[in-house]
Amino acid sequence: MELYRVEHLTFAYPACGLSDMQRGDGGREITVLQDCSFQVEEGSFVMLCGGTGSGKTTLLNLLKKELQPVGRLTGIIRYRDRFLADYAYGETAAEVGFVMQNPDEQPVTDKVWHELAFGLENMGVPSEEIRRRVAEISAYFGIDDWYEKAVEELSGGQKQLLNLAAVMVMRPRVLLLDEPTAQLDPIAAQNFMNMIVRLNRELGMTILLAEHRLEETLAVSDRVLVLQGGKLLHDGTPQQIARAIGQKERIYMALPCSARLCRALLDGGEEKPVQKTDVCTVAEKKTDRDTIPLTITQGRQWLWARYGDIGRDDAEQGGYPDTSKTLSAEKEAHASGTGDRTQEHRRAKPILECKQVWFHYKKACDILCGVQFRMNEGEIVSLLGSNGSGKTTFLHVIAGILHASGGKVRVGAERVGYLPQNIETLFVADTVEEELRLVGAEPSERLASYRQVHPYDLSGGEKQILAWEKVLAGKPQLLLLDEPTKGLDAAARRDVGIRLRALADEGVSVLMVTHDIELAAAVSDRCGLLFRGELLALGRTREFFHGNRFYTTAAARISQNLFADVLTAEELTARCRMLDGKESDRGIPREAEDM
Amino acid sequence: MQENKRLLMRLHPITTFCYMMAVLGIAMFCVNPVMQGCSLICACIFLRMLSERIVWRRVPAFVLFFAVIAAINPLFYHNGATVLFYLNGNRITLEAVRYGICTACMFGGVFLWCRSLSQIFSSDRILCLLGAVSPKASLVCSMTLRFLPMYARQMEKTKEQQRLLGLYRENTLIDRIRGSMKVFAAVTTWALEHSMHTADSMQARGYGVCRRTQYRRWRFGRMDAALCSWLLLLFIAIVIEINRGSVSMRFYPVTDAIPLGAESLLVYLCYAAVCFTLPAALCVLRFRRMMRERE
């Protein structure tokens, strides 16, 4: 059955308080969605992807009567064969469930059990029935253990699960989720996604999920809608989408590593013009190409089928699991590029030295246990680790927010910049201009059109830019970053990487703690793992990731046991291209070998 | 002990509330040494049943508190027929001392009762009681309890952040006040922004669509009914007797003898029964559990 039918949906917000630059043609409103048409079948898992500011949130809000924003709407939205506009207010409140992006914003009440009951109370369900349904949902979600707790005590992942449960308890027919995992750490995010998949598979729940990270989610969905700049660019199965997205499109970066690798090798360097894809047009093209791998496993199979025999000796020569040999492979790899810089740092003077740093809060157990750490000027160091491993605490101790309860921290830099996880804590002024003037800077070109805008009214990406400008205004010599890519889409994450490299070239030292393995692998000179307050396995990036089997980049996992020294998707692509080149030199055609 | 606390938490908030009102209400309005003593002793026992161990460090402070309250009355109130001695030309009378000790017993008892009852009265139980009177007020309180810690955390983080940026770290008082004002304004903006999202979340979940029901987490079971009617019965009996004056005492100018007639003895007995209701209920619950385990 068709649950939603959207035809030629166009939506525009009234513009007020924004500068002229931002306005559309009329100068009165900002068009967010343009001529979107799609259907959602009951029981399907539809993913809505697109970069920040592509109109995902607006589209989702429009699909829920109670959350429809104020603005000019043209086109048709039908829900279960009736116009959405014809439904009475609140009629679909229980039927259409909505989960917001920020896990902190959705809870209304102070206790977990009360939060679960809140929606049912609103619907006027009698107390005995509420008791039953709440019990049922807590059992299904496994939240009995923290049923009595205050919402404030929960971790981000638990909060988001609670938000989902609080919506599910109202027995919706469809779930709308607005980037629900963007603010979570990878394990919590995976946990949450598993729950969504489970709801879809076990209960036949219709899911409409807005997401900008496709690495783990693309393969589980039935259908993908790609939004860009308010236009629905593609609509098809994950396979079709993986094939159809052009390499120049913003969303291309978000595709899973396997898919990007496959695309890069199949398409070669050529660029296809960006075009609107429909299900039928993609289907025609399907015949002349292989299936594109979407998951790590598929990627591995694809890669083995292609390079299985050549690659293996390569891996054996490189001695992948053997660390001593990896070192030699690494030396080779570092003959040019980042390796040189690491050598330089050996001679450079230290900008940060931590000797046996211990930390604990009053009467609580130790959070940092004798961290030994030294960092040189112009180095980029990433610290990875799970939640509660003391990452943020370590940064706080270095920044001087907290005082080490034992050991010595010596900071060689006069000016230290600190970018917090929650960037809104940076903003205290009423406009962007004032905000930067506080630290003696002027808005750059990218923010020029937002001079008079309140920082909270900026979009996620623009907030990030403002935060960076405010922190960098002090010309820090040592920059401490706490999860710099949290909630950012793939393109913005790449921008962060580029920015960090540029800073390092200027001689700024960067110490960041992050869950973003891909970023750490791409930009850092050294990486370390914080585990229960101890700093383990601190070493050069390549060494570090080659020592890990689970905690490593997607490209490394795909090429495990095949290529020895591959870390990023780009390296993997280059490696494959090189092999392809070798073969053609030898004059063995690919097809012949396969036979 | 945790175990005891958990058992008591199973009771309906109304039962605990009735208990509290009966014990404290009578203790606070009836100045009678027997009843005050009873209240004090029972409060000690109850507190001991609920807490892990006796915190001996706190005992001297409590004794001091008791002594100060007992001393205040004779120091400031000089009526009474029997003069013990003169202090700075003021009479210190036996009656005033007696009355002081009586009030000290009352304050001490109430203090200890509050300590132990606060352990079983969690915020959600208070909200449940409030909800019975006004569901809206209960919801608003619950939302406030959710919001305040979050606000405090955001405030703390923003302050740290601004200090790190090198702003507002001057030591002059005016600068510090100005900095705090700025942070306060910023966090308030954040709070308003946040409340918009909360409003969205409420609407999305159907707030205001129809008349709300209230989810009652606790069942009013047989045990609750029995305890409540028992407490109510005793309470009414005691109040009637107090009104008839069977336990009232005059302290000035000459202290009456402690009333020990049949009726008065009955009232003492009733009050002791009220005080020991929950400790006894606890014993019964534990005993039942023990029996079940043995089976």
PDB file of all heavy atoms in Angstrom, chain A residues 1-6 42 63 76-85 87 91-92 94-97 172-174:
ATOM      1  N   MET A   1       0.837  -1.196   0.000  1.00  0.00           N
ATOM      2  CA  MET A   1       0.000   0.000   0.000  1.00  0.00           C
ATOM      3  C   MET A   1       0.873   1.248   0.000  1.00  0.00           C
ATOM      4  O   MET A   1       1.950   1.267   0.584  1.00  0.00           O
ATOM      5  CB  MET A   1      -0.881  -0.017   1.245  1.00  0.00           C
ATOM      6  CG  MET A   1      -2.124   0.805   1.114  1.00  0.00           C
ATOM      7  SD  MET A   1      -2.912   0.965   2.728  1.00  0.00           S
ATOM      8  CE  MET A   1      -2.508   2.633   3.159  1.00  0.00           C
ATOM      9  N   GLU A   2       0.358   2.253  -0.615  1.00  0.00           N
ATOM     10  CA  GLU A   2       1.102   3.501  -0.670  1.00  0.00           C
ATOM     11  C   GLU A   2       0.796   4.315   0.566  1.00  0.00           C
ATOM     12  O   GLU A   2      -0.372   4.491   0.914  1.00  0.00           O
ATOM     13  CB  GLU A   2       0.654   4.270  -1.897  1.00  0.00           C
ATOM     14  CG  GLU A   2       1.700   5.144  -2.482  1.00  0.00           C
ATOM     15  CD  GLU A   2       1.180   5.716  -3.790  1.00  0.00           C
ATOM     16  OE1 GLU A   2       0.263   6.542  -3.732  1.00  0.00           O
ATOM     17  OE2 GLU A   2       1.673   5.316  -4.839  1.00  0.00           O
ATOM     18  N   LEU A   3       1.830   4.775   1.233  1.00  0.00           N
ATOM     19  CA  LEU A   3       1.594   5.509   2.464  1.00  0.00           C
ATOM     20  C   LEU A   3       1.645   7.006   2.210  1.00  0.00           C
ATOM     21  O   LEU A   3       0.782   7.759   2.633  1.00  0.00           O
ATOM     22  CB  LEU A   3       2.650   5.107   3.491  1.00  0.00           C
ATOM     23  CG  LEU A   3       2.221   5.177   4.925  1.00  0.00           C
ATOM     24  CD1 LEU A   3       0.985   4.342   5.169  1.00  0.00           C
ATOM     25  CD2 LEU A   3       3.348   4.700   5.816  1.00  0.00           C
ATOM     26  N   TYR A   4       2.677   7.407   1.498  1.00  0.00           N
ATOM     27  CA  TYR A   4       2.810   8.816   1.144  1.00  0.00           C
ATOM     28  C   TYR A   4       2.869   8.949  -0.365  1.00  0.00           C
ATOM     29  O   TYR A   4       3.460   8.110  -1.040  1.00  0.00           O
ATOM     30  CB  TYR A   4       4.108   9.393   1.699  1.00  0.00           C
ATOM     31  CG  TYR A   4       4.016   9.899   3.114  1.00  0.00           C
ATOM     32  CD1 TYR A   4       4.664   9.257   4.143  1.00  0.00           C
ATOM     33  CD2 TYR A   4       3.294  11.056   3.400  1.00  0.00           C
ATOM     34  CE1 TYR A   4       4.596   9.728   5.440  1.00  0.00           C
ATOM     35  CE2 TYR A   4       3.212  11.531   4.684  1.00  0.00           C
ATOM     36  CZ  TYR A   4       3.872  10.865   5.699  1.00  0.00           C
ATOM     37  OH  TYR A   4       3.796  11.338   6.962  1.00  0.00           O
ATOM     38  N   ARG A   5       2.259   9.965  -0.866  1.00  0.00           N
ATOM     39  CA  ARG A   5       2.435  10.290  -2.276  1.00  0.00           C
ATOM     40  C   ARG A   5       2.657  11.792  -2.351  1.00  0.00           C
ATOM     41  O   ARG A   5       1.801  12.573  -1.943  1.00  0.00           O
ATOM     42  CB  ARG A   5       1.190   9.881  -3.060  1.00  0.00           C
ATOM     43  CG  ARG A   5       1.335  10.133  -4.523  1.00  0.00           C
ATOM     44  CD  ARG A   5       0.133   9.660  -5.306  1.00  0.00           C
ATOM     45  NE  ARG A   5       0.520   9.533  -6.708  1.00  0.00           N
ATOM     46  CZ  ARG A   5       1.022   8.431  -7.228  1.00  0.00           C
ATOM     47  NH1 ARG A   5       1.158   7.361  -6.513  1.00  0.00           N
ATOM     48  NH2 ARG A   5       1.376   8.399  -8.497  1.00  0.00           N
ATOM     49  N   VAL A   6       3.823  12.170  -2.806  1.00  0.00           N
ATOM     50  CA  VAL A   6       4.168  13.588  -2.873  1.00  0.00           C
ATOM     51  C   VAL A   6       4.328  13.961  -4.336  1.00  0.00           C
ATOM     52  O   VAL A   6       5.034  13.282  -5.074  1.00  0.00           O
ATOM     53  CB  VAL A   6       5.479  13.863  -2.107  1.00  0.00           C
ATOM     54  CG1 VAL A   6       5.872  15.321  -2.242  1.00  0.00           C
ATOM     55  CG2 VAL A   6       5.327  13.484  -0.646  1.00  0.00           C
ATOM     56  N   GLU A  42       4.192   1.349   2.017  1.00  0.00           N
ATOM     57  CA  GLU A  42       4.119   0.867   3.394  1.00  0.00           C
ATOM     58  C   GLU A  42       5.110  -0.283   3.583  1.00  0.00           C
ATOM     59  O   GLU A  42       5.226  -1.170   2.750  1.00  0.00           O
ATOM     60  CB  GLU A  42       2.697   0.382   3.700  1.00  0.00           C
ATOM     61  CG  GLU A  42       2.557  -0.134   5.109  1.00  0.00           C
ATOM     62  CD  GLU A  42       1.308   0.384   5.789  1.00  0.00           C
ATOM     63  OE1 GLU A  42       0.288   0.521   5.096  1.00  0.00           O
ATOM     64  OE2 GLU A  42       1.367   0.651   7.002  1.00  0.00           O
ATOM     65  N   LEU A  63       6.146  16.377   6.027  1.00  0.00           N
ATOM     66  CA  LEU A  63       5.390  15.132   5.964  1.00  0.00           C
ATOM     67  C   LEU A  63       4.631  14.869   7.258  1.00  0.00           C
ATOM     68  O   LEU A  63       3.817  13.961   7.327  1.00  0.00           O
ATOM     69  CB  LEU A  63       6.330  13.951   5.672  1.00  0.00           C
ATOM     70  CG  LEU A  63       6.967  13.968   4.285  1.00  0.00           C
ATOM     71  CD1 LEU A  63       7.852  12.763   4.089  1.00  0.00           C
ATOM     72  CD2 LEU A  63       5.900  14.017   3.204  1.00  0.00           C
ATOM     73  N   ILE A  76       1.297  18.646  -3.909  1.00  0.00           N
ATOM     74  CA  ILE A  76       0.374  17.801  -3.162  1.00  0.00           C
ATOM     75  C   ILE A  76       1.133  16.850  -2.245  1.00  0.00           C
ATOM     76  O   ILE A  76       2.134  16.261  -2.654  1.00  0.00           O
ATOM     77  CB  ILE A  76      -0.478  16.959  -4.148  1.00  0.00           C
ATOM     78  CG1 ILE A  76      -1.328  17.875  -5.013  1.00  0.00           C
ATOM     79  CG2 ILE A  76      -1.342  15.960  -3.403  1.00  0.00           C
ATOM     80  CD1 ILE A  76      -1.953  17.158  -6.179  1.00  0.00           C
ATOM     81  N   ILE A  77       0.676  16.735  -1.009  1.00  0.00           N
ATOM     82  CA  ILE A  77       1.159  15.664  -0.146  1.00  0.00           C
ATOM     83  C   ILE A  77      -0.047  14.826   0.242  1.00  0.00           C
ATOM     84  O   ILE A  77      -0.993  15.342   0.844  1.00  0.00           O
ATOM     85  CB  ILE A  77       1.810  16.208   1.141  1.00  0.00           C
ATOM     86  CG1 ILE A  77       2.907  17.208   0.806  1.00  0.00           C
ATOM     87  CG2 ILE A  77       2.382  15.065   1.969  1.00  0.00           C
ATOM     88  CD1 ILE A  77       3.472  17.908   2.014  1.00  0.00           C
ATOM     89  N   ARG A  78      -0.044  13.575  -0.119  1.00  0.00           N
ATOM     90  CA  ARG A  78      -1.142  12.691   0.277  1.00  0.00           C
ATOM     91  C   ARG A  78      -0.610  11.671   1.264  1.00  0.00           C
ATOM     92  O   ARG A  78       0.447  11.095   1.068  1.00  0.00           O
ATOM     93  CB  ARG A  78      -1.712  11.970  -0.935  1.00  0.00           C
ATOM     94  CG  ARG A  78      -2.468  12.864  -1.879  1.00  0.00           C
ATOM     95  CD  ARG A  78      -2.732  12.121  -3.172  1.00  0.00           C
ATOM     96  NE  ARG A  78      -3.884  11.231  -3.027  1.00  0.00           N
ATOM     97  CZ  ARG A  78      -5.120  11.581  -3.356  1.00  0.00           C
ATOM     98  NH1 ARG A  78      -5.343  12.782  -3.843  1.00  0.00           N
ATOM     99  NH2 ARG A  78      -6.119  10.742  -3.206  1.00  0.00           N
ATOM    100  N   TYR A  79      -1.355  11.472   2.327  1.00  0.00           N
ATOM    101  CA  TYR A  79      -1.011  10.454   3.296  1.00  0.00           C
ATOM    102  C   TYR A  79      -2.170   9.486   3.363  1.00  0.00           C
ATOM    103  O   TYR A  79      -3.306   9.892   3.645  1.00  0.00           O
ATOM    104  CB  TYR A  79      -0.732  11.096   4.656  1.00  0.00           C
ATOM    105  CG  TYR A  79      -0.535  10.087   5.779  1.00  0.00           C
ATOM    106  CD1 TYR A  79       0.586   9.266   5.798  1.00  0.00           C
ATOM    107  CD2 TYR A  79      -1.471   9.958   6.781  1.00  0.00           C
ATOM    108  CE1 TYR A  79       0.763   8.337   6.796  1.00  0.00           C
ATOM    109  CE2 TYR A  79      -1.307   9.021   7.806  1.00  0.00           C
ATOM    110  CZ  TYR A  79      -0.190   8.219   7.801  1.00  0.00           C
ATOM    111  OH  TYR A  79      -0.022   7.293   8.790  1.00  0.00           O
ATOM    112  N   ARG A  80      -1.938   8.239   3.102  1.00  0.00           N
ATOM    113  CA  ARG A  80      -2.976   7.206   3.067  1.00  0.00           C
ATOM    114  C   ARG A  80      -4.198   7.657   2.278  1.00  0.00           C
ATOM    115  O   ARG A  80      -5.325   7.657   2.782  1.00  0.00           O
ATOM    116  CB  ARG A  80      -3.390   6.825   4.483  1.00  0.00           C
ATOM    117  CG  ARG A  80      -2.277   6.106   5.217  1.00  0.00           C
ATOM    118  CD  ARG A  80      -2.634   5.866   6.635  1.00  0.00           C
ATOM    119  NE  ARG A  80      -3.700   4.891   6.744  1.00  0.00           N
ATOM    120  CZ  ARG A  80      -4.427   4.703   7.836  1.00  0.00           C
ATOM    121  NH1 ARG A  80      -4.215   5.448   8.884  1.00  0.00           N
ATOM    122  NH2 ARG A  80      -5.357   3.793   7.866  1.00  0.00           N
ATOM    123  N   ASP A  81      -3.943   8.074   1.046  1.00  0.00           N
ATOM    124  CA  ASP A  81      -5.015   8.417   0.101  1.00  0.00           C
ATOM    125  C   ASP A  81      -5.836   9.637   0.483  1.00  0.00           C
ATOM    126  O   ASP A  81      -6.883   9.878  -0.100  1.00  0.00           O
ATOM    127  CB  ASP A  81      -5.950   7.214  -0.116  1.00  0.00           C
ATOM    128  CG  ASP A  81      -5.218   6.091  -0.813  1.00  0.00           C
ATOM    129  OD1 ASP A  81      -4.266   6.415  -1.557  1.00  0.00           O
ATOM    130  OD2 ASP A  81      -5.569   4.919  -0.598  1.00  0.00           O
ATOM    131  N   ARG A  82      -5.403  10.370   1.465  1.00  0.00           N
ATOM    132  CA  ARG A  82      -6.078  11.644   1.743  1.00  0.00           C
ATOM    133  C   ARG A  82      -5.043  12.748   1.729  1.00  0.00           C
ATOM    134  O   ARG A  82      -3.888  12.526   2.033  1.00  0.00           O
ATOM    135  CB  ARG A  82      -6.736  11.601   3.136  1.00  0.00           C
ATOM    136  CG  ARG A  82      -8.178  11.115   3.124  1.00  0.00           C
ATOM    137  CD  ARG A  82      -8.649  10.893   4.534  1.00  0.00           C
ATOM    138  NE  ARG A  82      -8.842  12.137   5.277  1.00  0.00           N
ATOM    139  CZ  ARG A  82      -8.975  12.178   6.598  1.00  0.00           C
ATOM    140  NH1 ARG A  82      -8.904  11.082   7.314  1.00  0.00           N
ATOM    141  NH2 ARG A  82      -9.161  13.321   7.212  1.00  0.00           N
ATOM    142  N   PHE A  83      -5.487  13.947   1.381  1.00  0.00           N
ATOM    143  CA  PHE A  83      -4.543  15.055   1.428  1.00  0.00           C
ATOM    144  C   PHE A  83      -4.141  15.288   2.874  1.00  0.00           C
ATOM    145  O   PHE A  83      -4.998  15.287   3.772  1.00  0.00           O
ATOM    146  CB  PHE A  83      -5.183  16.326   0.867  1.00  0.00           C
ATOM    147  CG  PHE A  83      -5.445  16.230  -0.606  1.00  0.00           C
ATOM    148  CD1 PHE A  83      -6.737  16.214  -1.093  1.00  0.00           C
ATOM    149  CD2 PHE A  83      -4.384  16.149  -1.495  1.00  0.00           C
ATOM    150  CE1 PHE A  83      -6.971  16.111  -2.448  1.00  0.00           C
ATOM    151  CE2 PHE A  83      -4.618  16.050  -2.848  1.00  0.00           C
ATOM    152  CZ  PHE A  83      -5.919  16.027  -3.335  1.00  0.00           C
ATOM    153  N   LEU A  84      -2.889  15.527   3.073  1.00  0.00           N
ATOM    154  CA  LEU A  84      -2.416  15.763   4.431  1.00  0.00           C
ATOM    155  C   LEU A  84      -3.089  16.998   5.012  1.00  0.00           C
ATOM    156  O   LEU A  84      -3.387  17.075   6.203  1.00  0.00           O
ATOM    157  CB  LEU A  84      -0.893  15.929   4.433  1.00  0.00           C
ATOM    158  CG  LEU A  84      -0.221  15.830   5.794  1.00  0.00           C
ATOM    159  CD1 LEU A  84      -0.419  14.465   6.418  1.00  0.00           C
ATOM    160  CD2 LEU A  84       1.266  16.138   5.691  1.00  0.00           C
ATOM    161  N   ALA A  85      -3.362  17.954   4.132  1.00  0.00           N
ATOM    162  CA  ALA A  85      -3.991  19.202   4.584  1.00  0.00           C
ATOM    163  C   ALA A  85      -5.397  18.956   5.138  1.00  0.00           C
ATOM    164  O   ALA A  85      -5.890  19.737   5.944  1.00  0.00           O
ATOM    165  CB  ALA A  85      -4.037  20.189   3.430  1.00  0.00           C
ATOM    166  N   TYR A  87      -6.346  16.427   6.978  1.00  0.00           N
ATOM    167  CA  TYR A  87      -6.368  15.793   8.296  1.00  0.00           C
ATOM    168  C   TYR A  87      -6.538  16.867   9.365  1.00  0.00           C
ATOM    169  O   TYR A  87      -6.019  17.972   9.229  1.00  0.00           O
ATOM    170  CB  TYR A  87      -5.051  15.051   8.554  1.00  0.00           C
ATOM    171  CG  TYR A  87      -4.984  13.706   7.882  1.00  0.00           C
ATOM    172  CD1 TYR A  87      -4.465  13.560   6.614  1.00  0.00           C
ATOM    173  CD2 TYR A  87      -5.450  12.570   8.529  1.00  0.00           C
ATOM    174  CE1 TYR A  87      -4.408  12.334   5.995  1.00  0.00           C
ATOM    175  CE2 TYR A  87      -5.396  11.324   7.920  1.00  0.00           C
ATOM    176  CZ  TYR A  87      -4.871  11.213   6.648  1.00  0.00           C
ATOM    177  OH  TYR A  87      -4.814   9.996   6.049  1.00  0.00           O
ATOM    178  N   GLU A  91      -4.510  14.527  14.330  1.00  0.00           N
ATOM    179  CA  GLU A  91      -5.061  13.246  13.921  1.00  0.00           C
ATOM    180  C   GLU A  91      -3.954  12.237  13.618  1.00  0.00           C
ATOM    181  O   GLU A  91      -4.097  11.044  13.871  1.00  0.00           O
ATOM    182  CB  GLU A  91      -5.936  13.457  12.681  1.00  0.00           C
ATOM    183  CG  GLU A  91      -7.015  12.421  12.512  1.00  0.00           C
ATOM    184  CD  GLU A  91      -7.883  12.722  11.299  1.00  0.00           C
ATOM    185  OE1 GLU A  91      -7.915  13.888  10.859  1.00  0.00           O
ATOM    186  OE2 GLU A  91      -8.509  11.781  10.797  1.00  0.00           O
ATOM    187  N   THR A  92      -2.851  12.763  13.091  1.00  0.00           N
ATOM    188  CA  THR A  92      -1.764  11.858  12.727  1.00  0.00           C
ATOM    189  C   THR A  92      -0.637  11.873  13.756  1.00  0.00           C
ATOM    190  O   THR A  92       0.423  11.312  13.514  1.00  0.00           O
ATOM    191  CB  THR A  92      -1.186  12.242  11.355  1.00  0.00           C
ATOM    192  OG1 THR A  92      -0.760  13.602  11.426  1.00  0.00           O
ATOM    193  CG2 THR A  92      -2.184  12.070  10.257  1.00  0.00           C
ATOM    194  N   ALA A  94      -0.064  10.369  16.522  1.00  0.00           N
ATOM    195  CA  ALA A  94       0.441   9.065  16.952  1.00  0.00           C
ATOM    196  C   ALA A  94       0.908   8.241  15.763  1.00  0.00           C
ATOM    197  O   ALA A  94       1.858   7.478  15.857  1.00  0.00           O
ATOM    198  CB  ALA A  94      -0.643   8.319  17.714  1.00  0.00           C
ATOM    199  N   GLU A  95       0.236   8.400  14.623  1.00  0.00           N
ATOM    200  CA  GLU A  95       0.510   7.537  13.474  1.00  0.00           C
ATOM    201  C   GLU A  95       1.832   7.819  12.804  1.00  0.00           C
ATOM    202  O   GLU A  95       2.461   6.924  12.258  1.00  0.00           O
ATOM    203  CB  GLU A  95      -0.606   7.715  12.435  1.00  0.00           C
ATOM    204  CG  GLU A  95      -1.667   6.668  12.545  1.00  0.00           C
ATOM    205  CD  GLU A  95      -2.684   6.836  11.448  1.00  0.00           C
ATOM    206  OE1 GLU A  95      -2.276   6.952  10.284  1.00  0.00           O
ATOM    207  OE2 GLU A  95      -3.873   6.869  11.766  1.00  0.00           O
ATOM    208  N   VAL A  96       2.223   9.103  12.819  1.00  0.00           N
ATOM    209  CA  VAL A  96       3.473   9.472  12.180  1.00  0.00           C
ATOM    210  C   VAL A  96       4.472   9.803  13.278  1.00  0.00           C
ATOM    211  O   VAL A  96       4.342  10.806  13.955  1.00  0.00           O
ATOM    212  CB  VAL A  96       3.273  10.689  11.250  1.00  0.00           C
ATOM    213  CG1 VAL A  96       4.583  11.050  10.576  1.00  0.00           C
ATOM    214  CG2 VAL A  96       2.207  10.387  10.216  1.00  0.00           C
ATOM    215  N   GLY A  97       5.434   8.948  13.459  1.00  0.00           N
ATOM    216  CA  GLY A  97       6.425   9.166  14.504  1.00  0.00           C
ATOM    217  C   GLY A  97       7.588   9.971  13.975  1.00  0.00           C
ATOM    218  O   GLY A  97       7.979   9.828  12.823  1.00  0.00           O
ATOM    219  N   PRO A 172       3.200   3.996  15.861  1.00  0.00           N
ATOM    220  CA  PRO A 172       3.060   4.719  14.592  1.00  0.00           C
ATOM    221  C   PRO A 172       3.042   3.755  13.403  1.00  0.00           C
ATOM    222  O   PRO A 172       3.431   2.600  13.534  1.00  0.00           O
ATOM    223  CB  PRO A 172       4.319   5.594  14.554  1.00  0.00           C
ATOM    224  CG  PRO A 172       5.317   4.871  15.370  1.00  0.00           C
ATOM    225  CD  PRO A 172       4.553   4.122  16.419  1.00  0.00           C
ATOM    226  N   ARG A 173       2.568   4.259  12.270  1.00  0.00           N
ATOM    227  CA  ARG A 173       2.617   3.465  11.037  1.00  0.00           C
ATOM    228  C   ARG A 173       3.880   3.779  10.258  1.00  0.00           C
ATOM    229  O   ARG A 173       4.331   2.983   9.447  1.00  0.00           O
ATOM    230  CB  ARG A 173       1.415   3.807  10.150  1.00  0.00           C
ATOM    231  CG  ARG A 173       0.124   3.283  10.667  1.00  0.00           C
ATOM    232  CD  ARG A 173      -0.974   3.758   9.745  1.00  0.00           C
ATOM    233  NE  ARG A 173      -1.018   2.953   8.544  1.00  0.00           N
ATOM    234  CZ  ARG A 173      -2.031   2.148   8.236  1.00  0.00           C
ATOM    235  NH1 ARG A 173      -3.059   2.066   9.051  1.00  0.00           N
ATOM    236  NH2 ARG A 173      -2.031   1.450   7.137  1.00  0.00           N
ATOM    237  N   VAL A 174       4.377   4.984  10.474  1.00  0.00           N
ATOM    238  CA  VAL A 174       5.580   5.377   9.741  1.00  0.00           C
ATOM    239  C   VAL A 174       6.483   6.163  10.689  1.00  0.00           C
ATOM    240  O   VAL A 174       6.007   6.874  11.561  1.00  0.00           O
ATOM    241  CB  VAL A 174       5.214   6.207   8.486  1.00  0.00           C
ATOM    242  CG1 VAL A 174       4.337   7.380   8.829  1.00  0.00           C
ATOM    243  CG2 VAL A 174       6.457   6.688   7.748  1.00  0.00           C
TER     244      VAL A 174
END
